[in-house]
Amino acid sequence: MVEVLLEPCGQDVAVAENGCNLTENSTECSPRDDQCDSTMEDANLTAIQSFYKGQSIFVTGGTGFMGKLLVEKLLRDCPGISFIYLLVRPKKGKDVHQRIEELFDDPIFSKLKEVKPKFRHQIVAIAGDCSLPGLGISPSDRAMMIQDVSIVFHVAATVRFDEKLKLAVPINVRSPKVVTDLCKEMPRLKSFVHVSTAYANCPLDVIEERVYDPPMDADKLITLTECLDEKLIEEITPRLLGRWPNTYTFTKAVAESIVKKEAGNMPVGIFRPAIVISTYREPLRGWIDNMYGPTGVAAGAGTGILRSIHCDGSIPANVVPGDLTVNALIACAWDVANRRRATTDEKNNDVPVYNYVCKDNPITYDQLKVKSEKHGLEFPTGKAIWYYSFRNNKHKLVHLFYVYILHLLPALLIDSVTICLGKEPRMLNIYKKIHKFMNVLNYFTTRQWKFTNENFKQVLAKMSPDDSHNFNCDITEVDWDLYFRSYIRGIRVYLIKDPIESLEQARVRWQRLYWIHQACKLILAYLVFRICWLSVFYLYRVYISPAA
């Protein structure tokens, strides 16, 4: 219904039900009515953007790799978000506000600063720590979030595979329980997504999109780690882990069960990403800020430090780009809310699980190695200590041979020279850390899993073309060769801190290292030949010549 009013100036003006002023012979809104702009903006929003408009969001782990990507994407492509509450712990003498300022100095926020320079007023820093009871949140902050927050992302976790249970349990098990309890008190809650990992149930060969029975009751595990001293917990850890290879996957499996147990009738979902590595396209190509998993291997190989890894190159490397993973997470939170609204039978209101894996666009470890080598030679780093010489070794004995010959022996020689020069030896200690890191990865680089991902495929099918464009998370659209070009470049720029402007100097150094590498191979081949020749000659002199 439209009511026609006569303005004092005599101009006919149509006043729509939404409050917009339309002049005669005009389809545009009068600039004096702000509601009109808002209505037109709402009309242009996609389904996912409309879901997030006007909502306040609570994010744990917002200072981590995935957390930063999540916050950046929400602020940049979800207009109208009220506030994002970030759980931040004071660290190294810096309060939460200082840490927030440092957070937004990261290059990942450069594009956001260009398109939305005033975004910081949407960020509310909440002082807390996932390792503390109640997340260490003050009563006033807790009350504020309970009244305001409607969407929750629990991203925080300690991702160190060999973390001690005394620390891993409070962060990875107790904090999900605390966040779930917090969500129960939120009257406006629309969606709560707990971020797990595709490998939470790694003792199984087939991993479906459902919550499995945990390796241990969550409450008992929490009580155990709170009551026993650290030394005793370390002694019993191997027995507690059972079939689980490390504390990370073990605690993540337990956490899933506690989320399901405490979920009740809340709109709750569990998101399981595979191995998350650098961004593909947005907001920066190849951005990465950690050395976990394949990234550490690629960086070690590219600097000439790492020469071998125990790995079956024929099995899929279950890697997913960081930006696509965060887009998938945002879409899954939207789907959780839609599922909850569509569910009328409370008995069948199971917690949906989303496996975000690369099974529909697989890449093997050998292919990963070839592409990393190809683009590593295109973007060499000037900080390399040796030429690229890396291989996947399926058989452990072969891998150990390379470790002793190409890792430990050169390290011993370098440290010996260093000691003679009166300096502190470092190479053996470096390789000690590298080998510890590789031993943790061995479990995942020598086994293969079959994942189902029907729930996530349904999310893709529900997304409109505009949402599929704005929140691209279809792994089948990834061109792995293009991706690894930006990935290796990103490792050089963002991790090794070697600016791209120094590329020409690095290539000159790389060429020099190449010829040194070839010369060393010739010398080594000559020494092996001489040793074999002398051995044969000695055997001939001792055993054959006297008999003749």
Side-chain angles (χ1 to χ4, degrees), residues 169 173-174 176-178 181 214 216-227 254-255 257-259 261-262:
V169 170
V173 180
R174 187 177 64 194
K177 186 178 188 302
V178 173
D181 291 339
M216 184 176 181
D217 179 75
D219 293 324
K220 291 180 180 179
L221 179 60
I222 293 171
T223 303
L224 186 71
T225 53
E226 290 177 344
C227 296
V254 176
S257 70
I258 207 168
V259 170
K261 178 182 176 182
E262 300 292 334

Side-chain angles (χ1 to χ4, degrees), residues 152-156 172 176 180 192-197 251-252 255-256 259 268-273 329:
V152 176
F153 292 100
H154 182 52
V155 186
N172 291 356
T180 307
F192 163 42
V193 180
H194 167 72
V195 178
S196 183
T197 171
T251 52
K252 280 296 191 178
E256 288 190 0
V259 170
V268 178
I270 295 175
F271 181 70
R272 290 185 188 146
L329 175 58

